[in-house]
Amino acid sequence: EGEHGPYQPHEPGYGLDQPGYSPYEDEIPDPEARMLAIKNAKAYLLKTSTKSGLNLYDHFATILTKILDEQPTNTVDIIETISQDVKWAQFRKKMDTLRDEHVIPPTFEAAEKCKALFVKEGEEEDREELDEEMPALPNVMETAFYFEQAGIGLSKDESYYVFLALKNLINVQPIQTCRFWGKILGLEMNYIIAEVQLREGEEEEEPGEEGEETVLEGEKEMGEGEEEDEQKEKEPEPPKSTYKPPPEIPKEANGTGTNKYIYFVCNEPGKPWVKLPPVTPAQIVCARQIKKFFTGRLDAPVVSFPPFPGNEANYLRAQIARISAGTHVSPTGFYQFPEDEDEEEGADIYEENPEFEPPPVAEMVESLATWAHHVKGILKQGRCVWINPAQKSEENEEEDVEEEEEEEDEQQEETGQPLLTLISEDEGMKDTPAWTAQASTNLIPEYSIAILQSNRWPGAYAFASGRKFENIYFGWGHKYNPESHTPALPPAAETEFPIEPGITETVDPTVEEEMAFKAAQEEALAEAEEEEEEEGEDD
Amino acid sequence: MEALSLPAALALVAGGGAGLSPELRAALGASLPLVQRDYRFERVWFWGCIQGVRGAYYIAEGLGPDRAAPRSRLYSLNCLDWSLLTPATEEMLALAEQVKGRFQGDPSFEYSLAEINAEAAARMAQSGKEPVIKEEARLIATIEQIDRAVGIVPRGAFVKTPLGSVHENRHFEGLPLVEAKKLSSYFHFTEPSNLKNKTLLEKADLDPSTDFLDSLEHDIPKGSWSIQLEKGGTVVVLRSLLWLGLTFYHVPMTKQFGYVYFGTGEKNLDLPFML
């Protein structure tokens, strides 16, 4: 009696308080009545909702099945979310008559490409050729292990893919030496870069560029000739611009200076390798003035001021050249100049020193004098070896103002630091030294290695352990600037034409000046008349 | 990133070339659980590493029951001994923004304020304190700035209860691949500032339990995030271009996500020129 009876039809036991239906009335409860109540309840639960077409019975059944299958913890707290999710799942299946297109996720394509890397070309002929001249495939995994001791590097999987991709590169291209240079990050895709030296005689020059230049110049000449003829007939010519662009500094020959190595890039291991074009000094000079993110597509334009002469492939190549020149170091004494040649300032060749004794790791970390650059620095001109641009201008076809230019622009010969300079001579910026040296571990000094990090090019690292050393770059490809990057200002407007008396404006004479001039003229006339009269009188 | 899933997570963010040496990983595996025990945190996140000129700072964050509450931050120089950092104050943030240049690597290093901001130095001198800012304060302020500006989580990973506290969504199954490529699926895990500016139409679509944070869509400048699918689409990696070094990873259709910072701790003020 103290209990409230079930009031709602769906509550269990509804109807059981009616006479004849209470569970206590009969010793053996009437199964039929009970069954009827259960059927009523179930029928109510099975009622389909007018809005969504679902019914509560199925919904509960699905929820309970899901819960019993998954058995999450604290189910009672998340029961509402589970119910919601079940409804959402139901909704999609029943109401949509459109089916989603079976989208093949890009995962599988990439997995295919990676799998292709693992295929070994096992023809016997190839094996014999390889045995004769083994190009040096670098042991990328070993390098990765050493760099990992410093916390630098890609994951083991990715390193291995890079390893296999380099092996493919060697099989395809005629390569003499090869090295994993590093990875440059981009906005949409990244670049994996390999530094390579091709076998002698295998380099192709690009004749297309030269042919195009001559065609353009020929057209220009014709155009100018026609204009000149027309104008000479009509009027004196308008003043011509005396602007002559500065002579183009020639790029360095393949195999020397900034173009000593050839670089191949790919976006991901498994994708085909693309060769980067050689770098020109103009590109390096411009790259020093701009700071742009790489997008990941080699043909993307580089929109900047000063306008970059080239697209992203050229910009990438220029940055690679700058990074190599600034941060490729080796233990001092590992390389030496060959003894036969005299030490010229432009010495470009070095060879390994067979008598190199690696200093202990502690010394390599403490003193920066134990490391030396083995790549020549780039001068302001954009080359490693200075060239006098005035000599080149003799070959230009416009010969008018050339002689004057030689006198005016006598550029100072630039000299950079000679090869194999110690890095202790690198200047720091404000409070930061140019390099930071650390040992990989202080706990186990007998197996630690020396790690160098560059502060000028964040992302450039070098390690040395005994006779082994290596350089690598992981980063965005930009130099560190303690102050913010200031873009170049547009140059002053050029004077359009030379200053000549016929062109410049002179101030009009004032009224007083005119009167004075008039008076002076009248006096002169009067004097002249008097003289004539006198002469007339004489006669 | 979660301290417990550190090894797997580090493998996923290694695309940028930055990571931890095996020694440090082992040290973290040993010391972070102890930190959790000592400070009674519910979760410990390994925040990342700020590279100084002479040394590096390793940072960890501890979270309490309300994940959106201000987090406690700890730093260590060797991943073994952790020291608690005081919470950041607005004054610290303002001062630290003036300091430029790399971190030195020594927590007691003092930047002379006189060079940086003469007014602040004068004010401090008047109130009797030395006109210097310690590197520790700069560190605190930098971490706070980075978390506020670029600390992100996927949509749906956290739910807000009606009482206001924020919990992990145990029912979060991961973003589908299509959603994972969009910037609007990621939120800043900090106090929202733009929610009220949305139009009524947009607000109608929002679910107040999961959409209570700012999304990345309206970040200024536009394009300050780089989204990439790595490993053939198995991992979505977001890299911030404003704070170079902040990497966020998420494996679509799984619960794995996290962010970590490996960098020099300097804001990239040249970003507008670089895009």
Side-chain angles (χ1 to χ4, degrees):
Chain A
E1 274 194 318
E3 293 178 7
H4 297 279
Y7 299 106
Q8 308 282 338
H10 68 272
E11 287 176 20
Y14 179 71
L16 289 177
D17 58 346
Q18 304 295 323
Y21 292 96
S22 158
Y24 303 112
E25 286 220 313
D26 296 323
E27 282 289 322
I28 301 166
D30 183 4
E32 282 203 25
R34 226 150 169 226
M35 290 303 296
L36 188 59
I38 293 174
K39 275 192 206 158
N40 281 343
K42 189 167 173 185
Y44 173 77
L45 291 177
L46 278 169
K47 254 203 286 194
T48 320
S49 151
T50 45
K51 264 204 276 184
S52 58
L54 307 170
N55 63 52
L56 199 52
Y57 189 85
D58 286 336
H59 188 61
F60 274 138
T62 329
I63 293 180
L64 287 174
T65 321
K66 184 172 168 136
I67 291 177
L68 288 172
D69 281 339
E70 292 178 8
Q71 307 237 348
T73 51
N74 286 353
T75 318
V76 64
D77 295 327
I78 48 174
I79 186 73
E80 288 87 3
T81 349
I82 297 181
S83 165
Q84 232 180 2
D85 280 337
V86 167
K87 271 198 194 151
W88 285 343
Q90 297 269 359
F91 197 65
R92 252 182 254 138
K93 281 183 204 161
K94 285 188 186 170
M95 300 292 282
D96 267 338
T97 48
L98 299 169
R99 268 190 242 167
D100 282 328
E101 216 182 284
H102 182 57
V103 176
I104 301 176
T107 324
F108 304 137
E109 289 176 20
E112 291 256 339
K113 281 202 192 120
C114 285
K115 191 171 167 190
L117 279 175
F118 284 90
V119 169
K120 182 174 180 187
E121 293 170 33
E123 292 188 8
E124 290 194 6
E125 296 178 9
D126 283 341
R127 256 186 245 152
E128 285 178 17
E129 282 182 23
L130 281 178
D131 285 337
E132 289 173 3
E133 288 181 20
M134 278 293 289
L137 173 66
N139 193 346
V140 172
M141 295 313 290
E142 192 183 350
T143 314
F145 164 76
Y146 281 114
F147 275 119
E148 197 192 345
Q149 302 300 308
I152 302 152
L154 308 170
S155 63
K156 289 239 172 53
D157 287 354
E158 204 172 338
S159 296
Y160 207 82
Y161 290 141
V162 169
F163 199 9
L164 291 173
L166 280 179
K167 177 164 150 316
N168 276 354
L169 179 64
I170 287 184
N171 287 344
V172 170
Q173 301 273 350
I175 287 177
Q176 192 174 9
T177 60
C178 171
R179 199 174 79 81
F180 174 47
W181 186 90
K183 182 172 178 183
I184 287 191
L185 303 170
L187 296 181
E188 296 164 28
M189 289 184 284
N190 307 322
Y191 291 115
I192 296 193
I193 301 160
E195 185 182 75
V196 143
Q197 263 181 325
L198 295 180
R199 269 186 242 141
E200 293 178 10
E202 299 276 359
E203 294 161 13
E204 299 171 10
E205 294 206 359
E206 295 174 38
E209 290 176 1
E210 292 179 14
E212 281 177 27
E213 279 179 28
T214 45
V215 166
L216 280 174
E217 287 177 7
E219 285 179 8
K220 258 192 248 166
E221 279 185 34
M222 299 230 330
E224 283 179 19
E226 287 174 15
E227 280 179 33
E228 285 181 24
D229 288 337
E230 285 178 16
Q231 284 171 355
K232 274 182 189 160
E233 291 171 358
K234 291 182 194 175
E235 288 169 0
E237 297 169 8
K240 276 193 192 165
S241 159
T242 52
Y243 172 71
K244 296 279 179 283
E248 196 186 311
I249 303 174
K251 68 177 183 196
E252 294 181 281
N254 292 346
T256 63
T258 45
N259 286 320
K260 185 164 183 187
Y261 295 98
I262 299 195
Y263 293 91
F264 284 87
V265 299
C266 72
N267 284 122
E268 268 182 12
K271 293 208 176 150
W273 291 92
V274 177
K275 182 171 164 183
L276 287 181
V279 66
T280 64
Q283 287 167 357
I284 292 194
V285 167
C286 192
R288 283 181 169 143
Q289 296 172 305
I290 65 176
K291 200 172 176 188
K292 285 274 180 188
F293 279 121
F294 294 99
T295 59
R297 290 168 286 125
L298 284 172
D299 51 358
V302 177
V303 180
S304 65
F305 183 80
F308 187 77
N311 56 13
E312 183 157 312
N314 303 100
Y315 184 43
L316 180 63
R317 181 66 181 82
Q319 291 293 93
I320 294 177
R322 290 174 69 199
I323 294 176
S324 298
T327 62
H328 277 31
V329 295
S330 55
T332 309
F334 190 87
Y335 290 118
Q336 65 180 12
F337 291 114
E339 294 176 3
D340 331 333
E341 300 184 18
D342 299 324
E343 270 201 37
E344 304 170 2
E345 284 192 7
D348 215 8
I349 310 171
Y350 50 82
E351 60 178 23
E352 280 187 35
N353 179 359
E355 296 159 24
F356 170 61
E357 290 284 339
V361 169
E363 203 182 309
M364 297 219 72
V365 168
E366 269 183 44
S367 145
L368 288 180
T370 45
W371 299 83
H373 287 278
H374 62 258
V375 176
K376 232 161 180 262
I378 304 183
L379 306 168
K380 261 202 188 156
Q381 202 182 37
R383 294 169 49 108
C384 288
V385 173
W386 189 79
I387 197 171
N388 191 349
Q391 292 169 3
K392 186 80 170 114
S393 65
E394 288 175 11
E395 301 177 11
N396 276 352
E397 300 193 17
E398 307 191 30
E399 297 179 355
D400 299 330
V401 200
E402 167 214 328
E403 293 176 357
E404 291 180 18
E405 264 194 60
E406 277 190 28
E407 292 171 3
E408 289 174 3
D409 302 338
E410 268 194 36
Q411 294 181 9
Q412 299 281 322
E413 182 177 336
E414 300 174 33
T415 48
Q417 290 178 333
L419 203 54
L420 300 185
T421 12
L422 305 176
I423 68 173
S424 44
E425 313 207 1
D426 283 350
E427 294 171 10
M429 314 148 281
K430 268 201 201 171
D431 308 323
T432 352
W435 295 91
T436 301
Q438 284 172 344
S440 63
T441 162
N442 291 326
L443 298 173
I444 309 177
E446 52 263 23
Y447 289 113
S448 74
I449 61 177
I451 309 279
L452 259 194
Q453 293 176 22
S454 170
N455 293 326
R456 277 200 281 182
W457 290 97
Y461 303 99
F463 86 87
S465 167
R467 293 196 69 98
K468 292 202 192 50
F469 79 94
E470 189 59 74
N471 298 287
I472 209 157
Y473 183 85
F474 291 111
W476 294 91
H478 297 115
K479 194 168 185 176
Y480 174 69
N481 190 355
E483 283 90 31
S484 306
H485 167 74
T486 38
L489 292 171
E494 297 273 351
T495 49
E496 285 180 36
F497 33 78
I499 310 239
E500 285 169 358
I503 296 176
T504 46
E505 240 184 84
T506 49
V507 182
D508 281 342
T510 60
V511 178
E512 289 97 5
E513 286 179 20
E514 274 192 29
M515 302 298 276
F517 185 67
K518 212 174 166 188
Q521 261 195 336
E522 282 172 9
E523 279 184 17
L525 263 179
E527 282 183 10
E529 284 179 8
E530 283 180 10
E531 284 183 5
E532 283 184 14
E533 287 177 8
E534 287 177 3
E535 286 175 17
E537 285 177 1
D538 288 340
D539 292 342
Chain B
M1 49 179 57
E2 276 286 339
L4 298 168
S5 53
L6 202 56
L10 283 175
L12 292 171
V13 293
L20 292 175
S21 68
E23 182 186 331
L24 290 173
R25 279 189 219 200
L28 281 178
S31 61
L32 285 181
L34 292 178
V35 162
Q36 190 171 358
R37 175 201 70 183
D38 291 337
Y39 290 90
R40 310 238 167 80
F41 293 134
E42 284 200 13
R43 290 266 187 277
V44 175
W45 283 3
F46 176 64
W47 185 88
C49 160
I50 291 192
Q51 205 49 254
V53 172
R54 291 196 288 271
Y57 298 105
Y58 301 96
I59 319 282
E61 286 185 338
L63 288 87
D66 181 2
R67 306 283 187 258
R71 288 164 248 174
S72 327
R73 298 189 173 107
L74 304 99
Y75 82 96
S76 160
L77 298 167
N78 57 3
C79 281
L80 287 169
D81 311 308
W82 296 89
S83 330
L84 192 61
L85 290 168
T86 52
T89 60
E90 292 298 329
E91 192 193 321
M92 249 196 258
L93 288 173
L95 278 179
E97 238 173 304
Q98 313 268 340
V99 181
K100 299 233 186 330
R102 298 279 304 269
F103 278 84
Q104 291 299 320
D106 172 21
S108 53
F109 182 81
E110 291 172 354
Y111 297 92
S112 139
L113 263 183
E115 288 171 23
I116 300 165
N117 186 346
E119 290 178 14
R123 256 184 281 135
M124 286 189 83
Q126 280 175 6
S127 63
K129 300 182 230 168
E130 283 182 40
V132 291
I133 176 168
K134 288 182 96 181
E135 177 141 307
E136 203 175 305
R138 186 182 173 201
L139 183 67
I140 297 170
T142 309
I143 302 175
E144 176 70 27
Q145 275 178 328
I146 293 181
D147 265 343
R148 269 194 209 171
V150 291
I152 58 178
V153 292
R155 178 172 183 271
F158 288 91
V159 280
K160 193 167 189 175
T161 59
L163 299 172
S165 61
V166 172
H167 297 272
E168 277 126 5
N169 182 0
R170 229 108 38 96
H171 222 62
F172 176 59
E173 291 283 335
L175 298 172
L177 192 59
V178 175
E179 297 281 322
K181 288 193 254 187
K182 297 189 208 165
L183 272 183
S184 54
S185 328
Y186 301 99
F187 291 153
H188 289 280
F189 196 49
T190 173
E191 289 295 321
S193 53
N194 280 345
L195 272 184
K196 296 174 194 161
N197 298 345
K198 289 193 184 243
T199 63
L200 275 178
L201 258 174
E202 285 173 353
K203 277 196 218 171
D205 287 330
L206 296 181
D207 181 2
S209 61
T210 50
D211 293 308
F212 58 97
L213 300 165
D214 285 332
S215 95
L216 294 189
E217 271 184 311
H218 302 291
D219 269 6
I220 296 167
K222 212 162 176 192
S224 60
W225 287 94
S226 139
I227 300 193
Q228 287 182 13
L229 287 175
E230 290 199 0
K231 278 178 147 197
T234 45
V235 186
V236 170
V237 174
L238 270 80
R239 293 201 175 92
S240 166
L241 303 176
L242 186 58
W243 292 92
L244 287 176
L246 191 289
T247 316
F248 169 86
Y249 75 93
H250 173 52
V251 184
M253 299 314 288
T254 68
K255 290 180 84 147
Q256 301 171 38
F257 68 88
Y259 70 86
V260 72
Y261 181 85
F262 282 111
T264 59
E266 288 167 295
K267 199 167 180 177
N268 181 19
L269 292 167
D270 304 330
L271 181 59
F273 294 120
M274 295 168 79
L275 287 174

